[in-house]
Amino acid sequence: MQTAAPQAVSSRIGFGIGMMLLGMVGMVGMDACAKWLSGDYPINQIVFFRMAFGLLPALVLVWAEGGWPSLRSGNLRMQGVRALAGMGAIFAFFTSLRYLGLAEATAIAFVAPLVVTALSVPLLGETVGWRRWTAVSVGFLGAMIILRPGSEAFQWAAVLPLAAGVCYALAMITTRVLARSDTNAAIVFWNALIIAIVAGVSLPFAWVTPSWGDMAVFALMGLLGGVSIYWITLAFRSAPAAVLAPFDYSALLWSTLLGWLIWRELPDAWVWAGAALLVGSGLYVLYRETRARSV
Protein backbone atom coordinates (compact mmCIF):
# COMPACT_ATOMS: atom_id res chain seq x y z
CA MET A 1 0.00 0.00 0.00
CA GLN A 2 2.87 2.35 0.73
CA THR A 3 4.23 2.09 -2.82
CA ALA A 4 0.94 2.83 -4.57
CA ALA A 5 1.20 6.59 -4.38
CA PRO A 6 4.83 6.80 -5.63
CA GLN A 7 3.97 4.41 -8.45
CA ALA A 8 0.98 6.57 -9.41
CA VAL A 9 3.16 9.68 -9.41
CA SER A 10 5.83 7.91 -11.46
CA SER A 11 3.18 6.76 -13.92
CA ARG A 12 1.84 10.30 -14.35
CA ILE A 13 5.33 11.70 -14.89
CA GLY A 14 6.11 8.97 -17.44
CA PHE A 15 2.86 9.76 -19.24
CA GLY A 16 3.72 13.49 -19.20
CA ILE A 17 7.15 12.86 -20.70
CA GLY A 18 5.59 10.70 -23.40
CA MET A 19 3.07 13.40 -24.25
CA MET A 20 5.84 16.03 -24.38
CA LEU A 21 7.91 13.92 -26.78
CA LEU A 22 4.84 13.33 -28.97
CA GLY A 23 4.10 17.05 -28.88
CA MET A 24 7.60 17.94 -30.04
CA VAL A 25 7.46 15.39 -32.87
CA GLY A 26 4.12 16.83 -33.93
CA MET A 27 5.36 20.43 -33.81
CA VAL A 28 8.41 19.62 -35.92
CA GLY A 29 6.18 17.69 -38.33
CA MET A 30 3.97 20.79 -38.59
CA ASP A 31 7.04 22.95 -39.31
CA ALA A 32 8.22 20.48 -41.96
CA CYS A 33 4.83 20.71 -43.68
CA ALA A 34 5.05 24.51 -43.59
CA LYS A 35 8.55 24.40 -45.09
CA TRP A 36 7.36 22.02 -47.82
CA LEU A 37 4.54 24.42 -48.74
CA SER A 38 6.46 27.69 -48.32
CA GLY A 39 8.06 27.60 -51.75
CA ASP A 40 4.71 27.57 -53.58
CA TYR A 41 2.19 29.33 -51.34
CA PRO A 42 1.94 32.74 -49.62
CA ILE A 43 2.75 32.66 -45.91
CA ASN A 44 -0.66 34.10 -44.96
CA GLN A 45 -2.34 31.17 -46.70
CA ILE A 46 -0.13 28.68 -44.85
CA VAL A 47 -0.87 30.36 -41.53
CA PHE A 48 -4.61 30.40 -42.25
CA PHE A 49 -4.81 26.66 -42.92
CA ARG A 50 -2.55 25.92 -39.95
CA MET A 51 -4.99 27.69 -37.64
CA ALA A 52 -8.22 26.66 -39.39
CA PHE A 53 -7.46 22.93 -39.30
CA GLY A 54 -5.86 23.38 -35.87
CA LEU A 55 -9.23 24.46 -34.48
CA LEU A 56 -10.48 20.88 -34.78
CA PRO A 57 -8.15 19.44 -32.09
CA ALA A 58 -8.71 22.63 -30.08
CA LEU A 59 -12.39 21.68 -29.87
CA VAL A 60 -11.33 18.39 -28.24
CA LEU A 61 -9.57 20.42 -25.54
CA VAL A 62 -12.73 22.52 -25.14
CA TRP A 63 -14.78 19.37 -24.65
CA ALA A 64 -12.23 17.95 -22.17
CA GLU A 65 -12.40 21.10 -20.04
CA GLY A 66 -16.18 21.31 -19.76
CA GLY A 67 -17.54 22.38 -23.13
CA TRP A 68 -18.49 25.87 -24.27
CA PRO A 69 -18.51 27.40 -20.76
CA SER A 70 -14.75 26.79 -20.65
CA LEU A 71 -14.32 29.40 -23.41
CA ARG A 72 -15.35 32.29 -21.19
CA SER A 73 -12.48 34.74 -20.83
CA GLY A 74 -11.83 37.03 -17.92
CA ASN A 75 -9.38 39.14 -19.89
CA LEU A 76 -10.36 39.65 -23.52
CA ARG A 77 -7.76 42.37 -24.05
CA MET A 78 -4.96 40.04 -23.00
CA GLN A 79 -6.39 37.34 -25.28
CA GLY A 80 -5.96 39.79 -28.15
CA VAL A 81 -2.41 40.63 -27.11
CA ARG A 82 -1.52 36.94 -26.94
CA ALA A 83 -3.01 36.29 -30.37
CA LEU A 84 -1.05 39.23 -31.80
CA ALA A 85 2.21 37.88 -30.33
CA GLY A 86 1.39 34.37 -31.52
CA MET A 87 0.64 35.67 -35.00
CA GLY A 88 3.99 37.45 -35.12
CA ALA A 89 5.74 34.25 -34.04
CA ILE A 90 4.10 31.97 -36.60
CA PHE A 91 4.42 34.42 -39.51
CA ALA A 92 8.09 35.05 -38.76
CA PHE A 93 8.98 31.40 -38.23
CA PHE A 94 7.10 30.07 -41.26
CA THR A 95 8.70 32.77 -43.43
CA SER A 96 12.15 31.79 -42.17
CA LEU A 97 11.55 28.20 -43.28
CA ARG A 98 11.45 29.40 -46.87
CA TYR A 99 15.13 30.38 -46.60
CA LEU A 100 16.69 28.40 -43.75
CA GLY A 101 17.15 24.77 -42.86
CA LEU A 102 14.59 23.28 -40.50
CA ALA A 103 17.10 22.52 -37.74
CA GLU A 104 18.82 25.91 -38.03
CA ALA A 105 15.55 27.82 -37.68
CA THR A 106 14.50 25.60 -34.76
CA ALA A 107 17.82 26.17 -32.97
CA ILE A 108 17.61 29.96 -33.26
CA ALA A 109 14.03 29.97 -31.97
CA PHE A 110 15.28 28.33 -28.75
CA VAL A 111 16.07 31.88 -27.63
CA ALA A 112 12.42 32.11 -26.50
CA PRO A 113 12.84 30.75 -22.92
CA LEU A 114 15.67 33.21 -22.33
CA VAL A 115 13.57 36.11 -23.61
CA VAL A 116 10.77 35.04 -21.26
CA THR A 117 13.20 35.33 -18.34
CA ALA A 118 14.46 38.73 -19.49
CA LEU A 119 10.98 40.18 -20.10
CA SER A 120 9.49 38.76 -16.91
CA VAL A 121 11.31 41.51 -15.00
CA PRO A 122 9.69 44.58 -16.61
CA LEU A 123 6.40 42.93 -17.60
CA LEU A 124 5.63 40.67 -14.64
CA GLY A 125 7.72 42.30 -11.91
CA GLU A 126 9.64 39.08 -11.24
CA THR A 127 13.11 39.08 -9.69
CA VAL A 128 15.99 37.57 -11.68
CA GLY A 129 19.34 37.04 -9.99
CA TRP A 130 22.80 37.43 -11.48
CA ARG A 131 23.14 33.71 -12.20
CA ARG A 132 20.10 33.69 -14.43
CA TRP A 133 21.16 36.93 -16.10
CA THR A 134 24.52 35.29 -16.83
CA ALA A 135 22.78 32.28 -18.32
CA VAL A 136 20.58 34.55 -20.44
CA SER A 137 23.70 36.37 -21.71
CA VAL A 138 25.37 33.05 -22.57
CA GLY A 139 22.25 31.96 -24.42
CA PHE A 140 22.16 35.12 -26.50
CA LEU A 141 25.85 34.56 -27.27
CA GLY A 142 24.83 31.15 -28.59
CA ALA A 143 22.23 32.80 -30.83
CA MET A 144 24.88 35.20 -32.14
CA ILE A 145 27.20 32.26 -32.91
CA ILE A 146 24.47 30.74 -35.07
CA LEU A 147 23.59 34.06 -36.71
CA ARG A 148 27.22 35.21 -37.18
CA PRO A 149 26.32 38.86 -37.92
CA GLY A 150 28.94 40.69 -39.95
CA SER A 151 30.34 37.52 -41.49
CA GLU A 152 29.88 36.20 -45.01
CA ALA A 153 27.82 33.35 -43.56
CA PHE A 154 25.19 35.74 -42.17
CA GLN A 155 21.73 35.52 -43.73
CA TRP A 156 19.09 38.18 -43.11
CA ALA A 157 16.48 35.43 -42.90
CA ALA A 158 18.20 34.10 -39.76
CA VAL A 159 16.78 37.13 -37.92
CA LEU A 160 13.25 35.80 -38.56
CA PRO A 161 13.35 32.81 -36.16
CA LEU A 162 14.98 35.15 -33.64
CA ALA A 163 12.01 37.50 -34.01
CA ALA A 164 9.70 34.47 -33.80
CA GLY A 165 11.37 33.51 -30.52
CA VAL A 166 10.81 36.99 -29.10
CA CYS A 167 7.14 36.98 -30.17
CA TYR A 168 6.68 33.48 -28.78
CA ALA A 169 8.18 34.64 -25.48
CA LEU A 170 5.66 37.49 -25.36
CA ALA A 171 2.90 34.97 -26.02
CA MET A 172 4.16 32.81 -23.13
CA ILE A 173 4.26 35.79 -20.77
CA THR A 174 0.68 36.74 -21.64
CA THR A 175 -0.28 33.09 -21.17
CA ARG A 176 1.02 33.32 -17.58
CA VAL A 177 -1.28 36.28 -17.04
CA LEU A 178 -4.26 34.61 -18.73
CA ALA A 179 -3.78 31.40 -16.73
CA ARG A 180 -4.96 33.35 -13.66
CA SER A 181 -8.44 33.83 -15.15
CA ASP A 182 -8.89 31.61 -18.24
CA THR A 183 -8.86 27.88 -18.96
CA ASN A 184 -6.29 26.24 -21.23
CA ALA A 185 -9.12 25.63 -23.70
CA ALA A 186 -9.99 29.33 -23.86
CA ILE A 187 -6.35 30.34 -24.37
CA VAL A 188 -5.75 27.80 -27.16
CA PHE A 189 -9.11 28.22 -28.92
CA TRP A 190 -9.26 32.02 -29.02
CA ASN A 191 -5.64 32.26 -30.10
CA ALA A 192 -6.23 29.93 -33.05
CA LEU A 193 -9.53 31.54 -34.02
CA ILE A 194 -8.23 35.13 -33.94
CA ILE A 195 -5.14 34.29 -36.00
CA ALA A 196 -7.23 32.29 -38.50
CA ILE A 197 -9.62 35.24 -38.95
CA VAL A 198 -6.81 37.76 -39.45
CA ALA A 199 -4.97 35.52 -41.91
CA GLY A 200 -8.27 34.70 -43.65
CA VAL A 201 -9.06 38.36 -44.26
CA SER A 202 -5.81 38.67 -46.24
CA LEU A 203 -6.47 35.63 -48.45
CA PRO A 204 -8.08 37.57 -51.37
CA PHE A 205 -4.84 39.57 -51.70
CA ALA A 206 -2.48 36.57 -51.71
CA TRP A 207 -3.93 33.21 -52.73
CA VAL A 208 -2.74 30.23 -54.74
CA THR A 209 -5.27 27.46 -55.37
CA PRO A 210 -3.76 24.28 -53.89
CA SER A 211 -3.69 20.89 -55.55
CA TRP A 212 -5.43 18.03 -53.77
CA GLY A 213 -2.06 16.68 -52.65
CA ASP A 214 -1.00 20.02 -51.19
CA MET A 215 -4.40 20.41 -49.58
CA ALA A 216 -3.71 17.18 -47.72
CA VAL A 217 -0.40 18.65 -46.53
CA PHE A 218 -2.22 21.80 -45.38
CA ALA A 219 -4.67 19.65 -43.41
CA LEU A 220 -1.89 17.51 -41.92
CA MET A 221 0.00 20.65 -40.88
CA GLY A 222 -2.99 22.13 -39.08
CA LEU A 223 -4.01 18.88 -37.40
CA LEU A 224 -0.45 18.20 -36.24
CA GLY A 225 -0.17 21.70 -34.81
CA GLY A 226 -3.51 21.48 -33.02
CA VAL A 227 -3.09 17.99 -31.60
CA SER A 228 0.48 18.75 -30.52
CA ILE A 229 -0.74 21.62 -28.36
CA TYR A 230 -3.26 19.21 -26.82
CA TRP A 231 -0.50 16.66 -26.12
CA ILE A 232 1.73 19.33 -24.58
CA THR A 233 -1.17 20.53 -22.42
CA LEU A 234 -1.65 16.95 -21.15
CA ALA A 235 2.08 16.78 -20.47
CA PHE A 236 2.06 19.86 -18.25
CA ARG A 237 -0.97 18.54 -16.40
CA SER A 238 0.87 15.31 -15.62
CA ALA A 239 4.47 16.32 -14.83
CA PRO A 240 6.37 19.36 -13.48
CA ALA A 241 7.80 21.84 -15.99
CA ALA A 242 11.32 21.16 -14.68
CA VAL A 243 10.95 17.48 -15.63
CA LEU A 244 9.51 18.23 -19.07
CA ALA A 245 11.87 21.02 -20.18
CA PRO A 246 14.76 18.82 -21.40
CA PHE A 247 12.35 16.95 -23.65
CA ASP A 248 11.22 20.26 -25.17
CA TYR A 249 14.68 20.51 -26.72
CA SER A 250 14.19 17.16 -28.46
CA ALA A 251 12.68 19.31 -31.24
CA LEU A 252 16.24 20.00 -32.39
CA LEU A 253 16.83 16.27 -32.86
CA TRP A 254 13.60 15.75 -34.78
CA SER A 255 14.12 18.84 -36.95
CA THR A 256 17.65 17.69 -37.81
CA LEU A 257 16.38 14.24 -38.70
CA LEU A 258 13.49 15.48 -40.85
CA GLY A 259 15.64 18.15 -42.47
CA TRP A 260 18.14 15.52 -43.55
CA LEU A 261 15.55 12.96 -44.66
CA ILE A 262 13.49 15.40 -46.76
CA TRP A 263 15.92 18.12 -47.90
CA ARG A 264 19.34 16.59 -47.13
CA GLU A 265 20.08 19.52 -44.80
CA LEU A 266 22.58 19.22 -41.97
CA PRO A 267 23.50 22.09 -39.60
CA ASP A 268 27.15 23.15 -39.64
CA ALA A 269 29.46 23.18 -36.61
CA TRP A 270 28.60 26.82 -35.79
CA VAL A 271 24.89 25.98 -35.50
CA TRP A 272 25.60 23.02 -33.20
CA ALA A 273 27.93 25.12 -31.01
CA GLY A 274 25.39 27.93 -30.70
CA ALA A 275 22.55 25.49 -30.09
CA ALA A 276 24.54 23.84 -27.28
CA LEU A 277 24.89 27.21 -25.53
CA LEU A 278 21.20 28.02 -26.06
CA VAL A 279 19.99 24.67 -24.75
CA GLY A 280 22.42 24.63 -21.84
CA SER A 281 21.59 28.15 -20.72
CA GLY A 282 17.86 27.53 -21.13
CA LEU A 283 18.01 24.46 -18.91
CA TYR A 284 20.07 26.32 -16.31
CA VAL A 285 17.59 29.20 -16.25
CA LEU A 286 14.77 26.72 -15.68
CA TYR A 287 16.77 25.05 -12.89
CA ARG A 288 17.34 28.38 -11.13
CA GLU A 289 13.68 29.41 -11.53
CA THR A 290 12.49 26.07 -10.15
CA ARG A 291 14.89 26.31 -7.21
CA ALA A 292 13.87 29.91 -6.48
CA ARG A 293 10.16 28.97 -6.39
CA SER A 294 10.79 26.02 -4.07
CA VAL A 295 12.59 28.15 -1.46
Side-chain angles (χ1 to χ4, degrees):
M1 295 294 291
Q2 293 179 343
T3 59
Q7 286 177 352
V9 171
S10 177
S11 176
R12 287 198 303 272
I13 290 177
F15 176 77
I17 291 172
M19 289 296 98
M20 192 67 176
L21 287 172
L22 274 176
M24 290 302 102
V25 172
M27 283 294 188
V28 172
M30 174 197 73
D31 293 339
C33 290
K35 182 173 176 61
W36 180 272
L37 296 163
S38 64
D40 299 314
Y41 297 93
I43 299 301
N44 66 311
Q45 186 174 344
I46 298 173
V47 171
F48 170 76
F49 281 117
R50 154 63 186 94
M51 292 303 176
F53 284 109
L55 280 170
L56 299 177
L59 290 173
V60 176
L61 184 57
V62 171
W63 171 80
E65 294 200 354
W68 298 117
S70 68
L71 293 180
R72 294 194 187 98
S73 176
N75 197 334
L76 290 174
R77 179 179 297 179
M78 193 58 66
Q79 285 281 7
V81 171
R82 189 197 184 283
L84 185 63
M87 186 161 51
I90 194 169
F91 267 94
F93 192 76
F94 279 6
T95 302
S96 75
L97 293 175
R98 181 175 288 175
Y99 307 99
L100 302 177
L102 186 60
E104 183 179 0
T106 301
I108 298 171
F110 278 150
V111 75
L114 305 175
V115 177
V116 169
T117 299
L119 292 181
S120 66
V121 175
L123 297 182
L124 297 178
E126 296 181 358
T127 301
V128 175
W130 69 268
R131 291 181 179 87
R132 275 185 280 171
W133 278 124
T134 301
V136 168
S137 300
V138 171
F140 280 116
L141 174 62
M144 291 302 103
I145 289 174
I146 300 175
L147 292 173
R148 283 165 281 174
S151 71
E152 293 182 358
F154 174 74
Q155 299 184 61
W156 69 268
V159 177
L160 292 171
L162 186 65
V166 173
C167 289
Y168 181 75
L170 288 170
M172 290 303 96
I173 287 175
T174 55
T175 299
R176 287 187 185 181
V177 177
L178 283 168
R180 302 167 187 167
S181 60
D182 293 13
T183 65
N184 290 329
I187 295 171
V188 171
F189 180 85
W190 292 119
N191 178 73
L193 182 63
I194 292 170
I195 296 176
I197 290 173
V198 173
V201 169
S202 68
L203 288 180
F205 306 98
W207 169 268
V208 174
T209 302
S211 64
W212 285 109
D214 286 347
M215 197 66 217
V217 178
F218 276 119
L220 177 62
M221 173 185 63
L223 292 173
L224 279 175
V227 77
S228 295
I229 291 175
Y230 180 63
W231 286 332
I232 293 169
T233 300
L234 288 178
F236 279 104
R237 284 179 176 175
S238 306
V243 173
L244 297 174
F247 301 96
D248 188 13
Y249 291 106
S250 66
L252 184 57
L253 171 64
W254 309 131
S255 61
T256 301
L257 180 61
L258 275 182
W260 181 79
L261 287 174
I262 301 174
W263 295 281
R264 290 296 187 266
E265 302 168 344
L266 279 177
D268 61 24
W270 290 100
V271 173
W272 284 117
L277 289 177
L278 275 169
V279 172
S281 57
L283 290 175
Y284 183 76
V285 163
L286 180 70
Y287 162 75
R288 292 299 305 179
E289 288 182 350
T290 303
R291 183 174 177 179
R293 290 171 186 170
S294 63
V295 173

